Amino acid sequence: MSDTTKPNNFIEDIIEDDLNNGLSQDKLRFRFPPEPNGFLHIGHASAICLNFGLGEKYKRPVNLRFDDTNPAKEEAKYVAAIQKDVEWLGYKWDNLCYASDYFQELYDWAVQMIKDGKAYVDSQSSEEMAAQKGTPTQPGVDGPYRNRSVEENLSLFEGMKNGEYAEGEHILRAKIDMQSNNMLMRDPIMYRVVDKAHHRTGTDWKIYPMYDWTHGESDYLEQISHSFCTLEFKPHRELYDWFLDQVIDKDKIRPKQREFARRNVSHTVTSKRKLQKLVEAGVVNGWDDPRMTTISGLRRRGYTPASLKNFAESIGIAFCDSY
């Protein structure tokens, strides 16, 4: 009799290896982390199926977490649309979370990093920073504000938080290595001033954390065991781990970032940015226009949840980008 057992994909192999090396299955926890700056498209459907599918396979919880760190682009209507899409696909999340839930913890950690000499306020222009950061083939150089005193950094950072400075006047950077071969490790930005109301926190905050600082720390706070993202974030893994090193408690689960190939559809627009342009230009009648590759558009066109799940299952999980 032939063996019809479905083989593991490489993501499942990673999890199985961790389980075989001592990780208890009851410590597994996954998450789907969309940014609420538009409607989800068919590529996101595959990511939803991956993360929630792992939860179903291992009978472990999956969080739905909104990475809401950019009030200039994010809206509550996108949060509602994303929740509807996940539910329509037939999945149930364990905890509904927001990166904004952790703004205070992230800020407190950043303050501690300043005190530890691992972060500083930079007052260069974006052009000066770009020049100082070097190129992929040339190392960066230390900026003029890299060795500010702890006291001055704390004062400036508090002033940023209190809205005393304009957008672009100051930023907070991690102090890592301006000579690193990985340009993302050359003192990356942790916070910037954004003078816009947030869809959840209103005007309580004048500074907002960057994705790289927020994402791994949010995973840690939620005790996510495996954080899966697409291949363009592979160079970010080193920074993900460095930030975790600054806050990790050895007695808690340390999240592990691993990458898979994004799913692209030939002759089809699947970029959220490009889809948004179609909406804003009035080329289509909103994000849920049946001609759109958004989940809501596909739903209006007559596709079923089972058909999208079958599509995600049939193309599988890959190391290399697929079309």
Side-chain angles (χ1 to χ4, degrees), residues 214-236:
T214 307
H215 192 79
E217 273 37 33
S218 297
D219 286 341
Y220 175 64
L221 286 166
E222 294 173 20
Q223 286 292 272
I224 301 302
S225 61
H226 294 79
S227 180
F228 298 115
C229 54
T230 46
L231 279 177
E232 66 265 32
F233 290 100
K234 187 171 184 178
H236 295 247

mmCIF file with all atom_site columns, all heavy atoms in Angstrom, residues 214-236:
data_model
loop_
_atom_site.group_PDB
_atom_site.id
_atom_site.type_symbol
_atom_site.label_atom_id
_atom_site.label_alt_id
_atom_site.label_comp_id
_atom_site.label_asym_id
_atom_site.label_entity_id
_atom_site.label_seq_id
_atom_site.pdbx_PDB_ins_code
_atom_site.Cartn_x
_atom_site.Cartn_y
_atom_site.Cartn_z
_atom_site.occupancy
_atom_site.B_iso_or_equiv
_atom_site.pdbx_formal_charge
_atom_site.auth_seq_id
_atom_site.auth_comp_id
_atom_site.auth_asym_id
_atom_site.auth_atom_id
_atom_site.pdbx_PDB_model_num
ATOM 1   N N   . THR A 1 214 ? 10.200 46.922 16.836 1.00 0.00 ? 214 THR A N   1
ATOM 2   C CA  . THR A 1 214 ? 8.906  46.512 17.370 1.00 0.00 ? 214 THR A CA  1
ATOM 3   C C   . THR A 1 214 ? 8.640  45.019 17.221 1.00 0.00 ? 214 THR A C   1
ATOM 4   O O   . THR A 1 214 ? 8.126  44.367 18.141 1.00 0.00 ? 214 THR A O   1
ATOM 5   C CB  . THR A 1 214 ? 7.781  47.284 16.657 1.00 0.00 ? 214 THR A CB  1
ATOM 6   O OG1 . THR A 1 214 ? 8.044  48.680 16.716 1.00 0.00 ? 214 THR A OG1 1
ATOM 7   C CG2 . THR A 1 214 ? 6.432  46.994 17.286 1.00 0.00 ? 214 THR A CG2 1
ATOM 8   N N   . HIS A 1 215 ? 8.989  44.477 16.054 1.00 0.00 ? 215 HIS A N   1
ATOM 9   C CA  . HIS A 1 215 ? 8.476  43.164 15.692 1.00 0.00 ? 215 HIS A CA  1
ATOM 10  C C   . HIS A 1 215 ? 8.995  42.042 16.605 1.00 0.00 ? 215 HIS A C   1
ATOM 11  O O   . HIS A 1 215 ? 8.203  41.271 17.168 1.00 0.00 ? 215 HIS A O   1
ATOM 12  C CB  . HIS A 1 215 ? 8.808  42.854 14.228 1.00 0.00 ? 215 HIS A CB  1
ATOM 13  C CG  . HIS A 1 215 ? 8.089  41.661 13.705 1.00 0.00 ? 215 HIS A CG  1
ATOM 14  N ND1 . HIS A 1 215 ? 6.778  41.725 13.300 1.00 0.00 ? 215 HIS A ND1 1
ATOM 15  C CD2 . HIS A 1 215 ? 8.476  40.380 13.541 1.00 0.00 ? 215 HIS A CD2 1
ATOM 16  C CE1 . HIS A 1 215 ? 6.384  40.535 12.905 1.00 0.00 ? 215 HIS A CE1 1
ATOM 17  N NE2 . HIS A 1 215 ? 7.388  39.691 13.040 1.00 0.00 ? 215 HIS A NE2 1
ATOM 18  N N   . GLY A 1 216 ? 10.300 41.948 16.744 1.00 0.00 ? 216 GLY A N   1
ATOM 19  C CA  . GLY A 1 216 ? 10.849 40.886 17.574 1.00 0.00 ? 216 GLY A CA  1
ATOM 20  C C   . GLY A 1 216 ? 10.472 41.030 19.031 1.00 0.00 ? 216 GLY A C   1
ATOM 21  O O   . GLY A 1 216 ? 10.193 40.035 19.725 1.00 0.00 ? 216 GLY A O   1
ATOM 22  N N   . GLU A 1 217 ? 10.428 42.279 19.505 1.00 0.00 ? 217 GLU A N   1
ATOM 23  C CA  . GLU A 1 217 ? 10.065 42.508 20.901 1.00 0.00 ? 217 GLU A CA  1
ATOM 24  C C   . GLU A 1 217 ? 8.593  42.156 21.138 1.00 0.00 ? 217 GLU A C   1
ATOM 25  O O   . GLU A 1 217 ? 8.232  41.640 22.200 1.00 0.00 ? 217 GLU A O   1
ATOM 26  C CB  . GLU A 1 217 ? 10.326 43.968 21.268 1.00 0.00 ? 217 GLU A CB  1
ATOM 27  C CG  . GLU A 1 217 ? 11.715 44.332 21.744 1.00 0.00 ? 217 GLU A CG  1
ATOM 28  C CD  . GLU A 1 217 ? 12.877 43.612 21.082 1.00 0.00 ? 217 GLU A CD  1
ATOM 29  O OE1 . GLU A 1 217 ? 12.866 43.264 19.898 1.00 0.00 ? 217 GLU A OE1 1
ATOM 30  O OE2 . GLU A 1 217 ? 13.856 43.376 21.793 1.00 0.00 ? 217 GLU A OE2 1
ATOM 31  N N   . SER A 1 218 ? 7.743  42.427 20.150 1.00 0.00 ? 218 SER A N   1
ATOM 32  C CA  . SER A 1 218 ? 6.330  42.030 20.267 1.00 0.00 ? 218 SER A CA  1
ATOM 33  C C   . SER A 1 218 ? 6.215  40.510 20.290 1.00 0.00 ? 218 SER A C   1
ATOM 34  O O   . SER A 1 218 ? 5.439  39.943 21.070 1.00 0.00 ? 218 SER A O   1
ATOM 35  C CB  . SER A 1 218 ? 5.521  42.602 19.096 1.00 0.00 ? 218 SER A CB  1
ATOM 36  O OG  . SER A 1 218 ? 5.532  44.014 19.104 1.00 0.00 ? 218 SER A OG  1
ATOM 37  N N   . ASP A 1 219 ? 6.987  39.841 19.426 1.00 0.00 ? 219 ASP A N   1
ATOM 38  C CA  . ASP A 1 219 ? 7.016  38.379 19.438 1.00 0.00 ? 219 ASP A CA  1
ATOM 39  C C   . ASP A 1 219 ? 7.409  37.870 20.825 1.00 0.00 ? 219 ASP A C   1
ATOM 40  O O   . ASP A 1 219 ? 6.829  36.916 21.348 1.00 0.00 ? 219 ASP A O   1
ATOM 41  C CB  . ASP A 1 219 ? 8.009  37.844 18.405 1.00 0.00 ? 219 ASP A CB  1
ATOM 42  C CG  . ASP A 1 219 ? 7.513  37.966 16.975 1.00 0.00 ? 219 ASP A CG  1
ATOM 43  O OD1 . ASP A 1 219 ? 6.290  38.130 16.768 1.00 0.00 ? 219 ASP A OD1 1
ATOM 44  O OD2 . ASP A 1 219 ? 8.347  37.897 16.051 1.00 0.00 ? 219 ASP A OD2 1
ATOM 45  N N   . TYR A 1 220 ? 8.408  38.510 21.405 1.00 0.00 ? 220 TYR A N   1
ATOM 46  C CA  . TYR A 1 220 ? 8.906  38.079 22.719 1.00 0.00 ? 220 TYR A CA  1
ATOM 47  C C   . TYR A 1 220 ? 7.847  38.297 23.801 1.00 0.00 ? 220 TYR A C   1
ATOM 48  O O   . TYR A 1 220 ? 7.602  37.409 24.635 1.00 0.00 ? 220 TYR A O   1
ATOM 49  C CB  . TYR A 1 220 ? 10.183 38.848 23.051 1.00 0.00 ? 220 TYR A CB  1
ATOM 50  C CG  . TYR A 1 220 ? 10.717 38.579 24.438 1.00 0.00 ? 220 TYR A CG  1
ATOM 51  C CD1 . TYR A 1 220 ? 11.156 37.314 24.808 1.00 0.00 ? 220 TYR A CD1 1
ATOM 52  C CD2 . TYR A 1 220 ? 10.775 39.601 25.382 1.00 0.00 ? 220 TYR A CD2 1
ATOM 53  C CE1 . TYR A 1 220 ? 11.651 37.075 26.086 1.00 0.00 ? 220 TYR A CE1 1
ATOM 54  C CE2 . TYR A 1 220 ? 11.273 39.375 26.654 1.00 0.00 ? 220 TYR A CE2 1
ATOM 55  C CZ  . TYR A 1 220 ? 11.709 38.107 26.999 1.00 0.00 ? 220 TYR A CZ  1
ATOM 56  O OH  . TYR A 1 220 ? 12.183 37.866 28.264 1.00 0.00 ? 220 TYR A OH  1
ATOM 57  N N   . LEU A 1 221 ? 7.203  39.461 23.785 1.00 0.00 ? 221 LEU A N   1
ATOM 58  C CA  . LEU A 1 221 ? 6.190  39.756 24.792 1.00 0.00 ? 221 LEU A CA  1
ATOM 59  C C   . LEU A 1 221 ? 5.017  38.782 24.700 1.00 0.00 ? 221 LEU A C   1
ATOM 60  O O   . LEU A 1 221 ? 4.413  38.422 25.719 1.00 0.00 ? 221 LEU A O   1
ATOM 61  C CB  . LEU A 1 221 ? 5.701  41.196 24.634 1.00 0.00 ? 221 LEU A CB  1
ATOM 62  C CG  . LEU A 1 221 ? 6.678  42.278 25.104 1.00 0.00 ? 221 LEU A CG  1
ATOM 63  C CD1 . LEU A 1 221 ? 6.253  43.643 24.585 1.00 0.00 ? 221 LEU A CD1 1
ATOM 64  C CD2 . LEU A 1 221 ? 6.769  42.294 26.625 1.00 0.00 ? 221 LEU A CD2 1
ATOM 65  N N   . GLU A 1 222 ? 4.709  38.350 23.500 1.00 0.00 ? 222 GLU A N   1
ATOM 66  C CA  . GLU A 1 222 ? 3.618  37.386 23.308 1.00 0.00 ? 222 GLU A CA  1
ATOM 67  C C   . GLU A 1 222 ? 4.099  35.949 23.432 1.00 0.00 ? 222 GLU A C   1
ATOM 68  O O   . GLU A 1 222 ? 3.293  35.020 23.331 1.00 0.00 ? 222 GLU A O   1
ATOM 69  C CB  . GLU A 1 222 ? 2.972  37.609 21.936 1.00 0.00 ? 222 GLU A CB  1
ATOM 70  C CG  . GLU A 1 222 ? 2.265  38.938 21.814 1.00 0.00 ? 222 GLU A CG  1
ATOM 71  C CD  . GLU A 1 222 ? 1.775  39.218 20.403 1.00 0.00 ? 222 GLU A CD  1
ATOM 72  O OE1 . GLU A 1 222 ? 1.631  38.262 19.610 1.00 0.00 ? 222 GLU A OE1 1
ATOM 73  O OE2 . GLU A 1 222 ? 1.535  40.396 20.071 1.00 0.00 ? 222 GLU A OE2 1
ATOM 74  N N   . GLN A 1 223 ? 5.420  35.764 23.611 1.00 0.00 ? 223 GLN A N   1
ATOM 75  C CA  . GLN A 1 223 ? 6.025  34.435 23.722 1.00 0.00 ? 223 GLN A CA  1
ATOM 76  C C   . GLN A 1 223 ? 5.745  33.586 22.484 1.00 0.00 ? 223 GLN A C   1
ATOM 77  O O   . GLN A 1 223 ? 5.375  32.408 22.572 1.00 0.00 ? 223 GLN A O   1
ATOM 78  C CB  . GLN A 1 223 ? 5.589  33.744 24.997 1.00 0.00 ? 223 GLN A CB  1
ATOM 79  C CG  . GLN A 1 223 ? 6.257  34.304 26.253 1.00 0.00 ? 223 GLN A CG  1
ATOM 80  C CD  . GLN A 1 223 ? 7.763  34.003 26.278 1.00 0.00 ? 223 GLN A CD  1
ATOM 81  O OE1 . GLN A 1 223 ? 8.189  32.964 26.760 1.00 0.00 ? 223 GLN A OE1 1
ATOM 82  N NE2 . GLN A 1 223 ? 8.575  34.916 25.753 1.00 0.00 ? 223 GLN A NE2 1
ATOM 83  N N   . ILE A 1 224 ? 5.916  34.231 21.319 1.00 0.00 ? 224 ILE A N   1
ATOM 84  C CA  . ILE A 1 224 ? 5.824  33.531 20.046 1.00 0.00 ? 224 ILE A CA  1
ATOM 85  C C   . ILE A 1 224 ? 7.065  32.662 19.891 1.00 0.00 ? 224 ILE A C   1
ATOM 86  O O   . ILE A 1 224 ? 8.187  33.137 20.074 1.00 0.00 ? 224 ILE A O   1
ATOM 87  C CB  . ILE A 1 224 ? 5.732  34.539 18.876 1.00 0.00 ? 224 ILE A CB  1
ATOM 88  C CG1 . ILE A 1 224 ? 4.510  35.452 19.046 1.00 0.00 ? 224 ILE A CG1 1
ATOM 89  C CG2 . ILE A 1 224 ? 5.713  33.816 17.547 1.00 0.00 ? 224 ILE A CG2 1
ATOM 90  C CD1 . ILE A 1 224 ? 3.179  34.737 19.122 1.00 0.00 ? 224 ILE A CD1 1
ATOM 91  N N   . SER A 1 225 ? 6.882  31.397 19.559 1.00 0.00 ? 225 SER A N   1
ATOM 92  C CA  . SER A 1 225 ? 8.040  30.506 19.429 1.00 0.00 ? 225 SER A CA  1
ATOM 93  C C   . SER A 1 225 ? 8.690  30.619 18.060 1.00 0.00 ? 225 SER A C   1
ATOM 94  O O   . SER A 1 225 ? 9.920  30.582 17.935 1.00 0.00 ? 225 SER A O   1
ATOM 95  C CB  . SER A 1 225 ? 7.636  29.058 19.700 1.00 0.00 ? 225 SER A CB  1
ATOM 96  O OG  . SER A 1 225 ? 6.657  28.617 18.766 1.00 0.00 ? 225 SER A OG  1
ATOM 97  N N   . HIS A 1 226 ? 7.878  30.767 17.007 1.00 0.00 ? 226 HIS A N   1
ATOM 98  C CA  . HIS A 1 226 ? 8.390  30.794 15.641 1.00 0.00 ? 226 HIS A CA  1
ATOM 99  C C   . HIS A 1 226 ? 7.737  31.953 14.888 1.00 0.00 ? 226 HIS A C   1
ATOM 100 O O   . HIS A 1 226 ? 6.511  32.012 14.774 1.00 0.00 ? 226 HIS A O   1
ATOM 101 C CB  . HIS A 1 226 ? 8.107  29.477 14.923 1.00 0.00 ? 226 HIS A CB  1
ATOM 102 C CG  . HIS A 1 226 ? 8.844  28.311 15.509 1.00 0.00 ? 226 HIS A CG  1
ATOM 103 N ND1 . HIS A 1 226 ? 8.405  27.678 16.657 1.00 0.00 ? 226 HIS A ND1 1
ATOM 104 C CD2 . HIS A 1 226 ? 9.985  27.681 15.126 1.00 0.00 ? 226 HIS A CD2 1
ATOM 105 C CE1 . HIS A 1 226 ? 9.245  26.699 16.961 1.00 0.00 ? 226 HIS A CE1 1
ATOM 106 N NE2 . HIS A 1 226 ? 10.212 26.675 16.050 1.00 0.00 ? 226 HIS A NE2 1
ATOM 107 N N   . SER A 1 227 ? 8.570  32.838 14.396 1.00 0.00 ? 227 SER A N   1
ATOM 108 C CA  . SER A 1 227 ? 8.115  34.045 13.706 1.00 0.00 ? 227 SER A CA  1
ATOM 109 C C   . SER A 1 227 ? 8.492  33.923 12.226 1.00 0.00 ? 227 SER A C   1
ATOM 110 O O   . SER A 1 227 ? 9.654  34.060 11.857 1.00 0.00 ? 227 SER A O   1
ATOM 111 C CB  . SER A 1 227 ? 8.795  35.273 14.340 1.00 0.00 ? 227 SER A CB  1
ATOM 112 O OG  . SER A 1 227 ? 8.389  36.461 13.705 1.00 0.00 ? 227 SER A OG  1
ATOM 113 N N   . PHE A 1 228 ? 7.498  33.640 11.388 1.00 0.00 ? 228 PHE A N   1
ATOM 114 C CA  . PHE A 1 228 ? 7.771  33.391 9.978  1.00 0.00 ? 228 PHE A CA  1
ATOM 115 C C   . PHE A 1 228 ? 7.459  34.633 9.150  1.00 0.00 ? 228 PHE A C   1
ATOM 116 O O   . PHE A 1 228 ? 6.435  35.286 9.339  1.00 0.00 ? 228 PHE A O   1
ATOM 117 C CB  . PHE A 1 228 ? 6.943  32.200 9.478  1.00 0.00 ? 228 PHE A CB  1
ATOM 118 C CG  . PHE A 1 228 ? 7.284  30.923 10.193 1.00 0.00 ? 228 PHE A CG  1
ATOM 119 C CD1 . PHE A 1 228 ? 6.351  30.280 11.001 1.00 0.00 ? 228 PHE A CD1 1
ATOM 120 C CD2 . PHE A 1 228 ? 8.550  30.378 10.095 1.00 0.00 ? 228 PHE A CD2 1
ATOM 121 C CE1 . PHE A 1 228 ? 6.663  29.109 11.669 1.00 0.00 ? 228 PHE A CE1 1
ATOM 122 C CE2 . PHE A 1 228 ? 8.887  29.207 10.764 1.00 0.00 ? 228 PHE A CE2 1
ATOM 123 C CZ  . PHE A 1 228 ? 7.933  28.575 11.553 1.00 0.00 ? 228 PHE A CZ  1
ATOM 124 N N   . CYS A 1 229 ? 8.369  34.949 8.231  1.00 0.00 ? 229 CYS A N   1
ATOM 125 C CA  . CYS A 1 229 ? 8.207  36.118 7.375  1.00 0.00 ? 229 CYS A CA  1
ATOM 126 C C   . CYS A 1 229 ? 8.798  35.805 6.007  1.00 0.00 ? 229 CYS A C   1
ATOM 127 O O   . CYS A 1 229 ? 9.434  34.772 5.806  1.00 0.00 ? 229 CYS A O   1
ATOM 128 C CB  . CYS A 1 229 ? 8.866  37.344 7.992  1.00 0.00 ? 229 CYS A CB  1
ATOM 129 S SG  . CYS A 1 229 ? 10.601 37.094 8.419  1.00 0.00 ? 229 CYS A SG  1
ATOM 130 N N   . THR A 1 230 ? 8.586  36.711 5.054  1.00 0.00 ? 230 THR A N   1
ATOM 131 C CA  . THR A 1 230 ? 9.046  36.451 3.693  1.00 0.00 ? 230 THR A CA  1
ATOM 132 C C   . THR A 1 230 ? 10.520 36.788 3.521  1.00 0.00 ? 230 THR A C   1
ATOM 133 O O   . THR A 1 230 ? 11.130 37.448 4.366  1.00 0.00 ? 230 THR A O   1
ATOM 134 C CB  . THR A 1 230 ? 8.187  37.230 2.681  1.00 0.00 ? 230 THR A CB  1
ATOM 135 O OG1 . THR A 1 230 ? 8.020  38.579 3.142  1.00 0.00 ? 230 THR A OG1 1
ATOM 136 C CG2 . THR A 1 230 ? 6.814  36.590 2.538  1.00 0.00 ? 230 THR A CG2 1
ATOM 137 N N   . LEU A 1 231 ? 11.084 36.320 2.405  1.00 0.00 ? 231 LEU A N   1
ATOM 138 C CA  . LEU A 1 231 ? 12.536 36.315 2.219  1.00 0.00 ? 231 LEU A CA  1
ATOM 139 C C   . LEU A 1 231 ? 13.198 37.682 2.298  1.00 0.00 ? 231 LEU A C   1
ATOM 140 O O   . LEU A 1 231 ? 14.372 37.774 2.653  1.00 0.00 ? 231 LEU A O   1
ATOM 141 C CB  . LEU A 1 231 ? 12.873 35.687 0.860  1.00 0.00 ? 231 LEU A CB  1
ATOM 142 C CG  . LEU A 1 231 ? 12.874 34.155 0.792  1.00 0.00 ? 231 LEU A CG  1
ATOM 143 C CD1 . LEU A 1 231 ? 13.141 33.698 -0.626 1.00 0.00 ? 231 LEU A CD1 1
ATOM 144 C CD2 . LEU A 1 231 ? 13.916 33.578 1.735  1.00 0.00 ? 231 LEU A CD2 1
ATOM 145 N N   . GLU A 1 232 ? 12.469 38.752 1.959  1.00 0.00 ? 232 GLU A N   1
ATOM 146 C CA  . GLU A 1 232 ? 13.119 40.057 2.000  1.00 0.00 ? 232 GLU A CA  1
ATOM 147 C C   . GLU A 1 232 ? 13.529 40.446 3.413  1.00 0.00 ? 232 GLU A C   1
ATOM 148 O O   . GLU A 1 232 ? 14.329 41.368 3.611  1.00 0.00 ? 232 GLU A O   1
ATOM 149 C CB  . GLU A 1 232 ? 12.219 41.145 1.388  1.00 0.00 ? 232 GLU A CB  1
ATOM 150 C CG  . GLU A 1 232 ? 10.950 41.446 2.156  1.00 0.00 ? 232 GLU A CG  1
ATOM 151 C CD  . GLU A 1 232 ? 9.755  40.667 1.623  1.00 0.00 ? 232 GLU A CD  1
ATOM 152 O OE1 . GLU A 1 232 ? 9.939  39.532 1.128  1.00 0.00 ? 232 GLU A OE1 1
ATOM 153 O OE2 . GLU A 1 232 ? 8.638  41.191 1.702  1.00 0.00 ? 232 GLU A OE2 1
ATOM 154 N N   . PHE A 1 233 ? 13.011 39.736 4.414  1.00 0.00 ? 233 PHE A N   1
ATOM 155 C CA  . PHE A 1 233 ? 13.377 40.032 5.796  1.00 0.00 ? 233 PHE A CA  1
ATOM 156 C C   . PHE A 1 233 ? 14.535 39.178 6.291  1.00 0.00 ? 233 PHE A C   1
ATOM 157 O O   . PHE A 1 233 ? 14.935 39.299 7.455  1.00 0.00 ? 233 PHE A O   1
ATOM 158 C CB  . PHE A 1 233 ? 12.160 39.842 6.711  1.00 0.00 ? 233 PHE A CB  1
ATOM 159 C CG  . PHE A 1 233 ? 11.101 40.888 6.514  1.00 0.00 ? 233 PHE A CG  1
ATOM 160 C CD1 . PHE A 1 233 ? 9.978  40.627 5.750  1.00 0.00 ? 233 PHE A CD1 1
ATOM 161 C CD2 . PHE A 1 233 ? 11.247 42.148 7.066  1.00 0.00 ? 233 PHE A CD2 1
ATOM 162 C CE1 . PHE A 1 233 ? 9.010  41.588 5.554  1.00 0.00 ? 233 PHE A CE1 1
ATOM 163 C CE2 . PHE A 1 233 ? 10.287 43.125 6.880  1.00 0.00 ? 233 PHE A CE2 1
ATOM 164 C CZ  . PHE A 1 233 ? 9.158  42.847 6.113  1.00 0.00 ? 233 PHE A CZ  1
ATOM 165 N N   . LYS A 1 234 ? 15.103 38.344 5.433  1.00 0.00 ? 234 LYS A N   1
ATOM 166 C CA  . LYS A 1 234 ? 16.214 37.510 5.883  1.00 0.00 ? 234 LYS A CA  1
ATOM 167 C C   . LYS A 1 234 ? 17.395 38.342 6.387  1.00 0.00 ? 234 LYS A C   1
ATOM 168 O O   . LYS A 1 234 ? 17.985 38.027 7.431  1.00 0.00 ? 234 LYS A O   1
ATOM 169 C CB  . LYS A 1 234 ? 16.663 36.554 4.776  1.00 0.00 ? 234 LYS A CB  1
ATOM 170 C CG  . LYS A 1 234 ? 17.695 35.543 5.249  1.00 0.00 ? 234 LYS A CG  1
ATOM 171 C CD  . LYS A 1 234 ? 17.965 34.466 4.221  1.00 0.00 ? 234 LYS A CD  1
ATOM 172 C CE  . LYS A 1 234 ? 18.935 33.414 4.764  1.00 0.00 ? 234 LYS A CE  1
ATOM 173 N NZ  . LYS A 1 234 ? 19.170 32.315 3.793  1.00 0.00 ? 234 LYS A NZ  1
ATOM 174 N N   . PRO A 1 235 ? 17.789 39.439 5.691  1.00 0.00 ? 235 PRO A N   1
ATOM 175 C CA  . PRO A 1 235 ? 18.884 40.254 6.232  1.00 0.00 ? 235 PRO A CA  1
ATOM 176 C C   . PRO A 1 235 ? 18.544 40.897 7.578  1.00 0.00 ? 235 PRO A C   1
ATOM 177 O O   . PRO A 1 235 ? 19.439 41.297 8.316  1.00 0.00 ? 235 PRO A O   1
ATOM 178 C CB  . PRO A 1 235 ? 19.099 41.321 5.149  1.00 0.00 ? 235 PRO A CB  1
ATOM 179 C CG  . PRO A 1 235 ? 18.502 40.747 3.909  1.00 0.00 ? 235 PRO A CG  1
ATOM 180 C CD  . PRO A 1 235 ? 17.346 39.924 4.374  1.00 0.00 ? 235 PRO A CD  1
ATOM 181 N N   . HIS A 1 236 ? 17.241 40.988 7.877  1.00 0.00 ? 236 HIS A N   1
ATOM 182 C CA  . HIS A 1 236 ? 16.814 41.599 9.139  1.00 0.00 ? 236 HIS A CA  1
ATOM 183 C C   . HIS A 1 236 ? 16.983 40.649 10.319 1.00 0.00 ? 236 HIS A C   1
ATOM 184 O O   . HIS A 1 236 ? 16.882 41.081 11.467 1.00 0.00 ? 236 HIS A O   1
ATOM 185 C CB  . HIS A 1 236 ? 15.342 42.023 9.051  1.00 0.00 ? 236 HIS A CB  1
ATOM 186 C CG  . HIS A 1 236 ? 15.066 43.098 8.062  1.00 0.00 ? 236 HIS A CG  1
ATOM 187 N ND1 . HIS A 1 236 ? 14.655 44.362 8.430  1.00 0.00 ? 236 HIS A ND1 1
ATOM 188 C CD2 . HIS A 1 236 ? 15.144 43.109 6.702  1.00 0.00 ? 236 HIS A CD2 1
ATOM 189 C CE1 . HIS A 1 236 ? 14.487 45.106 7.341  1.00 0.00 ? 236 HIS A CE1 1
ATOM 190 N NE2 . HIS A 1 236 ? 14.770 44.351 6.283  1.00 0.00 ? 236 HIS A NE2 1
#
